Amino acid sequence: MKTNNNLGIWMDHSTANLIDTNSNNECRNIDSKFTSETKEEALYRSESLMHNKRQQMHENFYNKIGTQILKHKHVLLFGPTNAKVELHNSLNKDLHFKDIRIDIESADKMTQNEKEAFVRNHFEKNRKGSN
């Protein structure tokens, strides 16, 4: 059940801030369970365990974000790290996402207002460009 709405997601490896353009100021956060404490604990046991744990937790984090993306037709992934590219690569392997347009842009750390303005500007630019 897809709707015509757009979704902006500012993300790094620890959190994703979902900004729905059709909902008035409705923002939601999804946090990764891979914290620095988890990393230290796993690294204390072994380096390969830490890498496996990180991979597993990032995959879980990306799956939670993907569930929200499925409700939209056009999504903007933006943020300061390569987490947005990793998520995009993960989504490209899943046919459930083949009809969803996903854009990627680099962005620094931002305030909530800056994130919302960035998302609004991106989708307004795209709307004008497609007419």
Side-chain angles (χ1 to χ4, degrees), residues 41-103:
E41 180 184 317
L43 194 53
Y44 178 73
R45 293 188 191 153
S46 87
E47 193 169 331
S48 70
L49 174 69
M50 190 269 305
H51 289 295
N52 290 340
K53 188 132 184 117
R54 176 176 53 202
Q55 186 68 30
Q56 183 183 46
M57 291 179 135
H58 282 332
E59 193 174 304
N60 187 304
F61 178 52
Y62 296 154
N63 286 341
K64 285 181 183 177
I65 298 168
T67 300
Q68 297 304 310
I69 289 174
L70 282 172
K71 300 173 186 174
H72 299 83
K73 288 193 174 184
H74 191 178
V75 175
L76 168 64
L77 302 177
F78 66 111
T81 68
N82 64 345
K84 60 193 171 291
V85 175
E86 292 171 10
L87 173 60
H88 186 255
N89 291 341
S90 174
L91 299 176
N92 278 339
K93 296 175 190 169
D94 188 334
L95 291 176
H96 290 97
F97 298 94
K98 71 179 176 56
D99 295 328
I100 300 172
R101 179 175 168 191
I102 300 174
D103 301 332

Side-chain angles (χ1 to χ4, degrees), residues 7-12 15-19 75-81 83-85 103-108 110-112 114-120 122-123:
L7 179 67
I9 302 175
W10 182 96
M11 66 183 297
D12 58 20
T15 191
N17 181 226
L18 284 63
I19 303 159
V75 175
L76 168 64
L77 302 177
F78 66 111
T81 68
K84 60 193 171 291
V85 175
D103 301 332
I104 301 174
E105 288 195 35
S106 290
D108 291 326
M110 302 174 158
T111 66
Q112 189 60 37
E114 289 171 330
K115 291 174 190 174
E116 291 169 13
F118 190 89
V119 170
R120 263 192 319 276
H122 177 82
F123 289 117

